[in-house]
Amino acid sequence: MKVILDTDPGIDDALAFILLKAMPEISLQAITVTHGNTSVEKCTTNALKLVELLGMQDIPVAMGATEPLVRALSIAEETHGDTGLGHAILPEPKTQVIQENAANLIIDIVNANPGEITILCIGPVTNLALALLKEPTLRKKIKNVVSMAGTIHYPGNATPSSEYNVFCDPESFDILLRSGIDLTIIPLDVTYQCLFTKAHVARLDSAREDIRTFIDRSTAFYMEFHAEYQGIQGCAINDPLAAAILVKPDLVTFRDYYVDIELHGEFTTAKISADHFNATGKAPNAKVAMEVNIDAFMDFFIERVSTI
Ligand code: RIB
Ligand code: CA
């Protein structure tokens, strides 16, 4: 499976990098970086640090959008720390980004591999939206998009009704929803059931020491955020679940929904809504993960990470 990872590392993004390293079923074609959890500059540095930690230097890393399509930039340093990787410390990277920007790299890779590329979006989807705006034919050539995004019934983590990736750039997510691309949405409804705890860290005792240390130190900060801001014990590992589903879709139960997005609500901007009873009469435009086998996912994550 040929995959482009579009990401805003980010602590849970970093766990998705680690899991992708342990999924030989995936042929990672590129890493494209976006604004989101912190600035695109810091996210790009973190992506380069992670490819060096994981020996993925052969994979091109492209820097992408510095800000959303329309709205002002939002970052979440209270959630991911001022570096974006919590308490974890990695060496300054020697690896350089490629010269091409993220949107152009997406266009070039998809044009070179029509019908074969899965784009795993685990941050705001600005890069993908820019690519679709620049090259409208791309929507027919992308095999599918899997996006960690939105929330259906679960409370929002950015506003009471919106999830952070969509909140950062709702106009870009609207473009994705209307693109006609085969779209899978992994919302907070399933990701916030997957709470990674110190007990899970302890189960990583056979993992590579530097990776285990990274996971321990980065998630320690993430757990502090979840406890202080959300009263949750543990941390929701949103992005690794989206990555895992690429090779183990049976971890979740999908429902086909017509999904739309609020762009002008006073209190509900960036809220996505799934038409459960087909009240709109509109055909589904997304496959949405609504239930998850929590233990099966956690076991998968720990078993795979322990193989690196
Ligand atoms: O709402 C969770 C999502 O927003 C995750 O992708 C996290 O990394 C942040 O980008
Ligand atoms: Ca992310």
Side-chain angles (χ1 to χ4, degrees), residues 58-253:
D58 58 323
I59 296 167
V61 178
M63 190 157 128
T66 56
E67 57 190 9
L69 274 192
V70 174
R71 299 183 192 249
L73 177 68
S74 303
I75 58 176
E77 296 194 345
E78 78 290 341
T79 310
H80 296 266
D82 61 2
T83 69
L85 295 177
H87 295 311
I89 295 173
L90 292 176
E92 285 308 307
K94 297 182 179 60
T95 308
Q96 300 287 311
V97 290
I98 64 170
Q99 285 310 304
E100 195 170 20
N101 72 37
N104 287 338
L105 184 59
I106 290 169
I107 292 168
D108 288 349
I109 292 174
V110 171
N111 278 335
N113 301 271
E116 296 181 44
I117 300 295
T118 294
I119 303 180
L120 174 60
C121 297
I122 55 174
V125 296
T126 313
N127 290 331
L128 180 53
L130 289 168
L132 293 171
L133 290 170
K134 180 172 182 181
E135 178 104 15
T137 64
L138 215 64
R139 63 199 64 217
K140 299 290 187 195
K141 299 174 188 172
I142 293 170
K143 179 181 178 185
N144 66 313
V145 170
V146 176
S147 177
M148 192 277 120
T151 192
I152 306 302
H153 307 303
Y154 196 81
N157 63 351
T159 69
S161 58
S162 67
E163 175 278 327
Y164 188 74
N165 287 337
V166 178
F167 166 78
C168 281
D169 193 345
E171 283 75 13
S172 286
F173 201 75
D174 183 48
I175 288 171
L176 179 54
L177 283 173
R178 300 188 192 298
S179 68
I181 294 171
D182 178 342
L183 174 59
T184 298
I185 295 174
I186 313 299
L188 299 185
D189 303 76
V190 288
T191 69
Y192 258 66
Q193 294 183 58
C194 302
L195 300 178
F196 190 78
T197 66
K198 286 297 184 188
H200 293 111
V201 174
R203 288 177 58 191
L204 289 168
D205 52 351
S206 62
R208 212 176 79 186
E209 181 56 34
D210 56 347
I211 289 178
R212 185 178 184 282
T213 300
F214 175 84
I215 293 175
D216 185 23
R217 302 306 302 140
S218 59
T219 57
F221 186 99
Y222 210 29
M223 291 176 199
E224 290 160 11
F225 162 79
H226 281 74
E228 181 181 348
Y229 285 79
Q230 299 179 340
I232 289 173
Q233 294 309 305
C235 56
I237 53 172
N238 313 286
D239 295 338
L241 178 60
I245 287 165
L246 294 178
V247 299
K248 277 186 73 61
D250 60 349
L251 288 173
V252 296
T253 304

Side-chain angles (χ1 to χ4, degrees), residues 8 12-13 37 122-123 165 239:
D8 62 332
D12 57 331
D13 299 69
N37 287 318
I122 55 174
N165 287 337
D239 295 338

Side-chain angles (χ1 to χ4, degrees), residues 8-74:
D8 62 332
I11 294 167
D12 57 331
D13 299 69
L15 301 188
F17 273 66
I18 295 168
L19 184 56
L20 285 164
K21 174 68 179 181
M23 296 195 319
E25 304 91 334
I26 301 293
S27 171
L28 201 49
Q29 303 293 301
I31 295 166
T32 54
V33 187
T34 178
H35 65 88
N37 287 318
T38 185
S39 67
V40 69
E41 290 82 6
K42 287 185 181 180
C43 287
T44 301
T45 298
N46 291 338
L48 295 170
K49 288 181 176 180
L50 289 163
V51 298
E52 290 188 354
L53 172 71
L54 298 165
M56 297 160 82
Q57 292 94 325
D58 58 323
I59 296 167
V61 178
M63 190 157 128
T66 56
E67 57 190 9
L69 274 192
V70 174
R71 299 183 192 249
L73 177 68
S74 303

